[in-house]
């Protein structure tokens, strides 16, 4: 079995950033919580605060969205539920983006060749 190089490791960007912003859909695709947790651990290791945004709340049950929100908020992460399609939660996202240098990792997905 051949070892392939890692493609999903979060590395500190060359510019000084103030926060890591992790955006995961709640459906289509389902959130990869293992990947999310790994990225949160790496950001903590690099002393970068992280915010978690769960998008597509309009396509899942309210209880499902709340479950994700509460789990990551309880763990101490700034967490936002939003729907880009409906415009819900976007003002909260704008407040995170305001006057900050953020790192948005390029996560694997169906449209990404690293997937």
């Amino acid at each position: 079995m051949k070892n392939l190089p890692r493609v999903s490791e979060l590395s500190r960007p060359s510019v000084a950033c103030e926060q890591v912003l992790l955006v995961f859909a709640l459906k289509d695709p389902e959130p990869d919580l293992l990947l999310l947790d790994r990225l949160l651990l790496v950001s903590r290791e690099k002393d970068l605060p992280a915010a978690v945004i769960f998008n597509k709340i309009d396509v899942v049950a309210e209880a499902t969205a709340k479950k994700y929100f509460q789990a990551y908020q309880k763990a101490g992460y700034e967490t936002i539920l939003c729907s880009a399609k409906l415009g819900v939660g976007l003002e909260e996202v704008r407040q995170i983006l305001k006057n900050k240098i953020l790192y948005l990792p390029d996560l694997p997905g169906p449209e990404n060749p690293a997937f």
Side-chain angles (χ1 to χ4, degrees), residues 30-45:
E30 299 291 323
D32 183 343
L33 298 180
L34 180 60
L35 176 59
L36 174 56
D37 290 346
R38 288 178 64 199
L39 291 169
L40 288 169
L41 287 172
V42 172
S43 70
R44 182 174 287 174
E45 181 182 280

Side-chain angles (χ1 to χ4, degrees), residues 37-95:
D37 290 346
R38 288 178 64 199
L39 291 169
L40 288 169
L41 287 172
V42 172
S43 70
R44 182 174 287 174
E45 181 182 280
K46 304 274 187 188
D47 292 323
L48 292 170
V52 179
I53 298 175
F54 289 112
N55 190 25
K56 297 188 180 181
I57 62 169
D58 54 302
V59 296
V60 297
E62 185 177 345
T64 300
K66 284 184 179 181
K67 176 182 76 171
Y68 288 109
F69 176 84
Q70 290 171 345
Y72 286 91
Q73 188 179 53
K74 187 177 180 179
Y77 295 103
E78 184 172 9
T79 308
I80 297 173
L81 295 174
C82 76
S83 168
K85 183 177 181 178
L86 300 179
V88 175
L90 296 184
E91 187 54 40
E92 293 175 67
V93 174
R94 284 186 193 98
Q95 289 304 311

Side-chain angles (χ1 to χ4, degrees), residues 10 17-24 36 39-40 43 48-54 78-80 92-94 96-98 100-107:
L10 172 69
C17 69
E18 299 170 316
Q19 188 169 12
V20 175
L21 189 60
L22 300 168
V23 182
F24 280 76
L36 174 56
L39 291 169
L40 288 169
S43 70
L48 292 170
V52 179
I53 298 175
F54 289 112
E78 184 172 9
T79 308
I80 297 173
E92 293 175 67
V93 174
R94 284 186 193 98
I96 290 176
L97 298 172
K98 192 175 184 177
K100 290 184 184 172
I101 299 172
L102 297 166
Y103 179 61
L104 292 132
D106 186 19
L107 300 174

